Amino acid sequence: MKTLQVDLKKQYPSVLLNIIYAHKSKKDLHLHIIIPALKKEQQLFPLIMWVQGSAFHKQNLSLHLPQMIKVAQQGYVVAMATMVLNSEILKTRKSYLLTQSRSYTMPELGKIMTKVTGHEIGYHPVTVEEFGEIYASEGDGHELASMYAGGAKGYLHGLSDAFAHITGHEPETIEHFLMRKYQK
């Protein structure tokens, strides 16, 4: 038997799990709260509110818990919440379609990515299951497959100027974003 030596001083964040913060549409809505280690009594911290989005699958707050603990270690209280996404709730809320003013085909995106990376990038359609398997090794398969499935069902169709309306400026083009991010 191996004995682990662990320093249990109050240097790690406290994690409060599955706190019910509301009951909507016959469902309990849950919240996880992560609080940085207190160095003194009555210490104040800024709050980051993480609302778990998942329009196509059941939400799982635990998926991002390790990353949010790291955020709390930087001196932030993190509140992670689930939402109910059903027609009753959605009818009472204003929603926005956050797309750009134009859409791209997959071959067009391939050309942009070829230009950005300097490597030929093409497109070969796959099933939702194959897409999930491709990205499963990176830990993103479920979430990306969810978005891929939503796109296949037509949920991501549509153009809007909502981004500019909300922020007061035009969104960055995908080519500019990729050029800026890829070069880092």
Side-chain angles (χ1 to χ4, degrees):
M1 177 159 118
K2 184 175 181 177
T3 302
L4 296 176
Q5 300 297 321
V6 178
D7 181 4
L8 296 177
K9 293 178 192 156
K10 191 74 170 151
Q11 59 185 347
Y12 299 103
S14 299
V15 180
L16 308 171
L17 299 174
N18 296 315
I19 298 167
I20 297 172
Y21 73 90
H23 186 81
K24 302 270 185 177
S25 299
K26 302 177 185 175
K27 294 182 183 182
D28 289 332
L29 301 182
H30 294 89
L31 183 70
H32 294 341
I33 300 176
I34 309 165
I35 304 166
L38 296 174
K39 294 184 178 26
K40 61 181 180 178
E41 208 172 308
Q42 302 293 321
Q43 191 171 355
L44 299 176
F45 297 100
L47 170 72
I48 294 177
M49 186 72 195
W50 171 274
V51 179
Q52 175 69 42
S54 180
F56 312 117
H57 289 287
K58 185 176 180 196
Q59 300 165 27
N60 181 352
L61 287 179
S62 299
L63 290 175
H64 299 286
L65 194 55
Q67 294 93 332
M68 293 301 120
I69 288 172
K70 287 182 180 181
V71 170
Q73 287 175 319
Q74 302 299 312
Y76 297 90
V77 171
V78 179
M80 302 172 68
T82 57
M83 300 184 315
V84 172
L85 293 177
N86 66 32
S87 59
E88 287 178 40
I89 298 297
L90 292 176
K91 286 178 189 174
T92 65
R93 303 284 192 261
K94 182 157 182 111
S95 62
Y96 294 95
L97 177 63
L98 294 179
T99 63
Q100 293 195 18
S101 57
R102 72 159 292 201
S103 63
Y104 296 88
T105 64
M106 293 309 286
E108 287 174 322
L109 288 173
K111 286 179 184 175
I112 290 171
M113 292 173 70
T114 297
K115 181 178 176 183
V116 169
T117 65
H119 302 283
E120 185 68 30
I121 297 178
Y123 171 67
H124 174 71
V126 295
T127 67
V128 172
E129 292 77 21
E130 290 169 323
F131 188 88
E133 289 171 14
I134 291 168
Y135 289 96
S137 65
E138 298 176 20
D140 296 331
H142 178 74
E143 291 173 353
L144 290 173
S146 171
M147 188 166 28
Y148 192 81
K153 292 178 182 175
Y155 296 152
L156 302 177
H157 288 300
L159 301 174
S160 97
D161 64 352
F163 183 90
H165 175 73
I166 294 167
T167 65
H169 61 83
E170 291 298 319
E172 181 176 18
T173 67
I174 193 163
E175 184 175 345
H176 185 266
F177 173 81
L178 291 173
M179 292 277 252
R180 187 170 52 81
K181 290 293 187 177
Y182 183 75
Q183 310 224 336
K184 286 187 177 182

